[in-house]
Amino acid sequence: MGHVAQMLELAKLFITRNHQVSITVLIMKLPDYIDAVSGPFVDSVIDSSSSERLRFFELPPVDPTPEWSSKTRGHFVNRLVQTQKSQIREFLISQRGGVKLVGFVVDMLCTPLMDVADEFGIPSYVFFTSPAAFLGLMLHFQFLEDECNEDVKNCDGSTTLLSFPSYAYPVPPNILPMVLVDRDTWLGRFIDFARGYRKAKGIIINTFAELEIYALDAYNNNNISRSEQGPLPSIYPIGPILNQSKSQSESEEAEITNWLDEQPPNSVVLLCFGSQGSLPTDQVKQIAIALDNIGCRFLWSLRSPPQSNNAQFPGEYTSYSEILPEGFLNRTEKKGKVVGWVPQLKVLSHEAIGGFVSHCGWNSVLESLWYGVPIATWPLHSEQQVNAFQLVKEIGVAVEITLDYCERNKDQPIVTAKAIENGISKLMETNSAVKHEAKIMKEKSRASVTEGGSSYLAFSKLINELLKNAAV
Ligand SMILES: O=c1ccn([C@@H]2O[C@H](COP(=O)(O)OP(=O)(O)O[C@H]3O[C@H](CO)[C@@H](O)[C@H](O)[C@H]3O)[C@@H](O)[C@H]2O)c(=O)[nH]1
């Protein structure tokens, strides 16, 4: 979701900002048992957004296959990429003699598809939906591999802090993304993605200059690369691009917003762990105990483990009493609400929200800062641990519940109710430094996309470059 929604928003931004450009979005839905959230979401976006200048082209899906499991995932992804390449090739052939194709924009995890654009002489641009600091780290992966960096190899056990050009502070090795540790399945693939970034004509990134000063300076000064690798492509920090699409019915949304309307300003803590975020039952219980003890108002988006297929989205329980401590829902009825999916952007915009316990997916971070809501970090997977670290140490808009809760260990440690209570109390303190910083970032994020702001200008530059491609 964190990639699909933003790609669609980027497409909309292109046609709003320029009247010459038109966009075709190529999209392939995955079988429901891999991803049941984005399929219905994409359908609703297609219905509401298609226009003469914004077309959607659905690539036929790869056969549903029994191959999908954590062991065979790599093989499945290879097959997926090969299928997509041949389908995109056919699509491009069908466009010959029609409009001039000025650019091919690929998601940050789809760069192998750039080969097809190369065959047709179309310049490729990468759309990077994670922070610029993480882009720097990805571009650094190859060195770590080449140098067989022992600290990184043993990062689960090591405590030696590691310096990376795109992070302002040395990084504890145990928070590095799983892909660096899982050498057999993922590292090679991520190094390949990063090779794609170097080959691209430009990297469009969903961040803004004022938020990631350190990482963007490191990139622009070419500190991330080695001289033999040549200069990096132009980078376009054009964010924040926010997920404006609706993924719920009016009545489902209203149930939540009506409840928020009844709460005092800045009194409610939102807990939401992203589109895929689910936690083990024991962990859910600890959160409930913390909320019970702390007595703070809360809105909790509670999703079940992905293997369950209960409700509209896998990841929702049919009954919360299955999992929550006895009597919890009754005891907290007046001050708390437990739901499945939340209309997150709308919720964050509500004056009742005073803080956000988040998995630190980058879109959630940008959405929170857009409304000046401070964050308590609870990263789960992907690059979320390093995002959390950056938010706490460098940007100063978040307090830490945990920085290293992750899927890396089979025996996942449970964060105790006490630690959760401490984190939420700090988050909800009035006049705290993180609240203040989040408010400042709200102003900066809005200024960046207003005419003349840093992201506005970066987007103008991108469009000008695309139009120059049209002239070639
Ligand atoms: O109940 C929910 C849950 C999620 N969302 C929306 O779904 C999106 C989630 O995006 P994000 O916060 O980035 O989380 P993920 O979907 O987990 O994003 C993936 O992609 C991100 C961008 O690359 C990475 O930063 C994350 O680590 C990776 O997990 C956001 O727009 C949310 O507003 C809702 O509206 N309601």
Side-chain angles (χ1 to χ4, degrees):
M1 185 69 125
H3 294 238
V4 176
Q6 268 53 30
M7 184 62 98
L8 297 172
E9 293 299 333
L10 176 66
K12 288 194 228 160
L13 187 61
F14 268 119
I15 57 166
T16 332
R17 282 287 304 276
N18 185 281
H19 296 295
Q20 284 168 277
V21 177
S22 62
I23 305 279
T24 301
V25 181
L26 303 176
I27 207 148
M28 179 192 275
K29 287 189 218 151
L30 293 173
D32 275 2
Y33 62 88
I34 298 176
D35 175 11
V37 177
S38 44
F41 167 73
V42 166
D43 287 338
S44 72
V45 173
I46 293 177
D47 287 345
S48 64
S49 312
S50 299
S51 70
E52 208 149 273
R53 292 201 296 127
L54 176 56
R55 295 183 302 152
F56 292 85
F57 184 84
E58 217 175 305
L59 303 172
V62 174
D63 299 337
T65 160
E67 283 173 63
W68 179 256
S69 74
S70 55
K71 280 210 181 108
T72 56
R73 197 179 282 189
H75 179 58
F76 177 83
V77 174
N78 286 341
R79 206 157 71 86
L80 186 68
V81 171
Q82 289 319 317
T83 311
Q84 286 173 332
K85 277 187 177 176
S86 59
Q87 291 176 350
I88 293 173
R89 198 170 286 120
E90 275 172 38
F91 171 80
L92 292 176
I93 290 170
S94 74
Q95 301 298 299
R96 271 194 177 138
V99 289
K100 170 92 184 167
L101 292 169
V102 295
F104 180 69
V105 180
V106 282
D107 178 83
M108 62 186 272
L109 304 182
C110 296
T111 55
L113 302 178
M114 287 162 53
D115 294 348
V116 187
D118 285 350
E119 288 169 27
F120 288 77
I122 307 167
S124 289
Y125 296 80
V126 173
F127 182 40
F128 202 84
T129 50
S130 288
F134 184 62
L135 169 66
L137 185 60
M138 278 192 70
L139 289 165
H140 213 76
F141 279 1
Q142 181 70 60
F143 306 161
L144 299 175
E145 177 67 353
D146 290 350
E147 288 167 359
C148 294
N149 189 315
E150 288 304 317
D151 290 330
V152 172
K153 270 193 173 165
N154 303 324
C155 64
D156 271 347
S158 162
T159 50
T160 314
L161 297 179
L162 301 168
S163 291
F164 297 107
S166 58
Y167 287 88
Y169 292 91
V171 178
N174 64 328
I175 65 161
L176 287 174
M178 175 71 184
V179 292
L180 271 178
V181 186
D182 185 355
R183 297 180 160 253
D184 299 336
T185 319
W186 287 112
L187 184 61
R189 199 175 291 282
F190 271 73
I191 288 175
D192 266 359
F193 293 147
R195 263 192 216 113
Y197 307 161
R198 288 185 186 280
K199 281 195 324 200
K201 180 101 191 255
I203 300 177
I204 308 166
I205 182 162
N206 193 11
T207 192
F208 55 103
E210 296 75 7
L211 179 65
E212 290 203 82
I213 300 169
Y214 192 87
L216 289 167
D217 272 358
Y219 188 96
N220 288 325
N221 297 330
N222 217 7
N223 286 347
I224 283 159
S225 252
R226 285 181 174 167
S227 50
E228 71 268 17
Q229 290 181 300
L232 292 164
S234 305
I235 190 167
Y236 303 92
I238 57 151
I241 293 184
L242 305 172
N243 175 5
Q244 310 279 359
S245 314
K246 284 172 80 68
S247 40
Q248 278 172 303
S249 68
E250 293 286 343
S251 63
E252 284 166 327
E253 281 197 14
E255 194 198 317
I256 295 170
T257 49
N258 291 345
W259 180 81
L260 284 172
D261 288 345
E262 290 161 14
Q263 313 308 315
N266 289 314
S267 66
V268 177
V269 61
L270 166 68
L271 296 94
C272 182
F273 298 92
S275 49
Q276 301 166 335
S278 57
L279 298 166
T281 314
D282 288 349
Q283 185 60 78
V284 169
K285 292 214 160 81
Q286 291 299 309
I287 296 179
I289 295 169
L291 292 172
D292 231 347
N293 288 345
I294 204 169
C296 159
R297 289 167 205 269
F298 64 86
L299 174 62
W300 182 6
S301 164
L302 174 57
R303 328 285 300 283
S304 68
Q307 59 269 31
S308 125
N309 263 323
N310 285 337
Q312 186 191 1
F313 297 126
E316 290 185 20
Y317 296 94
T318 43
S319 154
Y320 291 123
S321 50
E322 280 170 32
I323 183 173
L324 292 166
E326 215 182 318
F328 173 81
L329 289 173
N330 286 342
R331 278 194 303 282
T332 56
E333 194 181 22
K334 291 232 160 55
K335 56 184 184 219
K337 193 162 180 60
V338 183
V339 291
W341 189 260
V342 287
Q344 190 173 286
L345 192 64
K346 204 168 196 179
V347 165
L348 286 165
S349 75
H350 202 287
E351 61 166 10
I353 299 293
F356 182 15
V357 175
S358 169
H359 73 315
C360 302
W362 192 238
N363 299 297
S364 294
V365 170
L366 294 174
E367 289 166 12
S368 203
L369 297 181
W370 181 257
Y371 289 108
V373 177
I375 295 169
T377 61
W378 191 323
L380 298 179
H381 57 81
S382 309
E383 89 301 19
Q384 293 154 17
Q385 282 108 318
V386 276
N387 297 353
F389 176 78
Q390 192 186 2
L391 294 174
V392 172
K393 296 274 183 209
E394 182 192 330
I395 305 176
V397 290
V399 297
E400 171 187 341
I401 291 182
T402 167
L403 288 182
D404 62 358
Y405 182 86
C406 62
E407 287 171 349
R408 186 174 297 166
N409 302 314
K410 289 215 172 62
D411 300 323
Q412 208 168 45
I414 296 293
V415 183
T416 61
K418 191 78 212 143
I420 302 166
E421 269 176 66
N422 287 342
I424 294 181
S425 304
K426 262 203 245 161
L427 175 69
M428 299 302 280
E429 264 169 28
T430 39
N431 301 325
S432 64
V434 286
K435 275 213 157 113
H436 179 68
E437 287 305 318
K439 292 276 174 280
I440 293 179
M441 222 26 103
K442 169 182 171 178
E443 301 312 322
K444 290 186 174 169
S445 65
R446 284 153 191 257
S448 73
V449 292
T450 320
E451 194 168 347
S454 61
S455 296
Y456 186 94
L457 295 175
F459 201 78
S460 306
K461 203 168 137 208
L462 172 64
I463 291 180
N464 288 340
E465 178 167 334
L466 282 167
L467 295 179
K468 267 193 237 150
N469 298 339
V472 177

